[in-house]
Amino acid sequence: MRMVQEQPKKRTPSRLAALPLAVACAAVPLGALLSRFAGSGPESSPFLPWAVLAALGTVRAILFRRSGQRLRPRFFAELCMFAGLSALVILYQRDILQQLRGFTPFVSELVPVIMLGFCGLWVMTFGRPDRAAFQRWGAVLGLLCVLDLAVEGFIYRAAPSMRWIGETDLLAGLLLICLCASLRPGLADDGLYEPDQGAPVFRALILAGLLATLSRTGLFAAAWIYLCFGRGGWKLRTAVFLAFFTGLAATFQLPFTPSDLARYVDYWLWAKSLALFSREPALLIAGLPLDHALPFTFPPEMAPIWERVTDSPTLFGAHLPQVPSFWLRFILGWGGILPTACLTGLFVLVSRRLTRMGAGLAAVLFVQGMSTPLLYDPSTGAMAGLALLLALSACRTVPSPGRNGEPDAGLHSAPQTEDDPVREWDLRPL
């Protein structure tokens, strides 16, 4: 019996399907670099590129039906209505924000839902970007990280956590998502089929970029993901694993920089939150008010560090948007039940179509969420959402009937090479 891939009944993705990847991996880091050397000016919102992409998707949805046929009679009328509405929002944005001030804390805490909704609508409009697109733009970001480390290391004789192109943990999160797209797919593994896309040079640049970030959580996650699900034989995977852990050990020997103070803020918030939950366990169910300052008092030695990192006086207190950890912010704002339900739902979805890419993404979301904003950052949220939709779309292989309509007696799984990690370490169905 032969194994035939069950093709999805959807049209070919548009060439613009990978545009969010280009924005997250190239446009946003280069924009941060340009803004650093352009001098003082009006501060732009990190959501501006994604608002532009949402407008592009709206125009595309107006122009085409889902079947791909144009809506010529109504296109210009709908486009003019959309342009007029956008112009009103831009002209009166201050008045609108003033009226919505009471809802601002709730909107900022719904950013993960907004970004995941953006990903779903983008895929419905343009289609899913493939694995090759993730690896291609991940290679671009990896090259930027290597060049940035080389230049800043030469100038400062140090490797600051806040680079010219962005914060290292967030850059590592983007590269980890691209690394998951580059993992060796399992051919007809547990009934699932994953295409083998990308090029070796892309994968090498992604690994080099991860090493160049010197992000502790990023290096830790990359080491274990590549050891368990990476390409090549056990010798190659072990070598990559040791290289990442060597880089992780080297981060503790690097010269201290002012941007490293952010780590102390993260540690202090975790310690204060755990102490708060031990005193008031009921907060693990209900969470804290979203529009109030966190019930934390600043010790004298922490006050200057907080003001240096957050650029906010301790007199105003600490607020949820200033918590860098995704999972800690999620628990403080909504209690422990909703985050637990979300994690359970993620693992259930991934386990139903269990692939190496899906397993790697689950590990990335869990580990990176301990120290980075993750889905609260629009770039990481968009990349993670699109990657999850791609990982959960693995095609299921079905047996084709034999000559007499009966299943073919000679059932053979897809061939596997000698360096397949599944055969070596019995990782089925991963």
Side-chain angles (χ1 to χ4, degrees), residues 67-376:
S67 61
Q69 299 177 358
R70 293 198 175 199
L71 292 175
R72 292 183 181 275
R74 299 183 341 196
F75 169 64
F76 290 104
E78 294 179 350
L79 186 60
C80 289
M81 292 174 60
F82 174 70
L85 179 61
S86 301
L88 290 175
V89 171
I90 294 174
L91 291 175
Y92 298 99
Q93 57 178 327
R94 292 185 178 179
D95 297 333
I96 295 174
L97 292 176
Q98 184 70 20
Q99 297 295 326
L100 297 177
R101 175 178 293 181
F103 298 95
T104 302
F106 299 92
V107 174
S108 63
E109 297 309 309
L110 291 176
V111 168
V113 179
I114 295 173
M115 293 312 301
L116 292 178
F118 166 83
C119 294
L121 292 174
W122 185 270
V123 168
M124 291 173 60
T125 306
F126 296 99
R128 288 185 298 269
D130 58 13
R131 289 169 177 258
F134 276 92
Q135 296 175 55
R136 185 181 304 113
W137 290 109
V140 172
L141 179 59
L143 181 60
L144 290 176
C145 291
V146 171
L147 294 176
D148 179 84
L149 176 63
V151 174
E152 292 198 53
F154 176 77
I155 295 176
Y156 301 123
R157 296 294 189 271
S161 59
M162 181 57 69
R163 304 283 178 82
W164 290 348
I165 60 174
E167 205 269 329
T168 54
D169 288 337
L170 291 176
L171 295 173
L174 297 176
L175 289 170
L176 283 171
I177 294 171
C178 299
L179 174 66
C180 292
S182 71
L183 297 176
R184 183 173 189 171
L187 301 177
D189 210 5
D190 195 30
L192 296 180
Y193 176 85
E194 301 176 82
D196 191 2
Q197 298 174 331
V201 64
F202 296 161
R203 296 188 278 270
L205 285 174
I206 292 172
L207 294 176
L210 276 166
L211 282 172
T213 62
L214 296 175
S215 166
R216 292 173 184 173
T217 55
L219 293 175
F220 178 83
W224 287 107
I225 289 173
Y226 201 89
L227 179 66
C228 296
F229 312 127
R231 293 172 181 261
W234 67 270
K235 294 181 180 180
L236 174 61
R237 297 198 307 278
T238 303
V240 173
F241 173 84
L242 293 177
F244 279 123
F245 262 85
T246 302
L248 177 61
T251 60
F252 293 94
Q253 305 299 324
L254 293 174
F256 183 82
T257 62
S259 60
D260 292 331
L261 291 173
R263 293 194 178 116
Y264 292 98
V265 172
D266 191 18
Y267 300 152
W268 180 77
L269 287 171
W270 270 105
K272 296 292 286 186
S273 299
L274 293 177
L276 176 64
F277 292 141
S278 64
R279 293 195 310 267
E280 303 180 43
L283 293 177
L284 284 173
I285 300 177
L288 296 170
L290 301 180
D291 55 347
H292 288 69
L294 300 176
F296 298 155
T297 56
F298 293 91
E301 62 274 10
M302 190 64 200
I305 298 177
W306 177 267
E307 294 177 355
R308 177 69 179 269
V309 171
T310 63
D311 197 21
S312 174
T314 55
L315 180 64
F316 297 153
H319 293 78
L320 276 178
Q322 295 171 320
V323 178
S325 169
F326 171 79
W327 293 114
L328 181 59
R329 180 175 174 179
F330 202 178
I331 295 173
L332 286 172
W334 302 96
I337 297 177
L338 185 58
T340 303
C342 291
L343 266 179
T344 304
L346 171 64
F347 288 125
V348 168
L349 287 175
V350 170
S351 63
R352 292 186 64 182
R353 286 183 176 269
L354 196 53
T355 60
R356 294 183 182 91
M357 181 178 179
L361 285 172
V364 169
L365 294 178
F366 180 76
V367 174
Q368 286 295 99
M370 293 295 180
S371 61
T372 70
L374 200 61
L375 302 184
Y376 287 108

Side-chain angles (χ1 to χ4, degrees), residues 364-412:
V364 169
L365 294 178
F366 180 76
V367 174
Q368 286 295 99
M370 293 295 180
S371 61
T372 70
L374 200 61
L375 302 184
Y376 287 108
D377 178 77
S379 296
T380 312
M383 288 280 290
L386 292 173
L388 280 174
L389 291 175
L390 177 61
L392 297 176
S393 66
C395 303
R396 185 166 294 279
T397 54
V398 295
S400 61
R403 294 182 179 179
N404 300 325
E406 299 293 335
D408 196 349
L411 177 59
H412 298 284

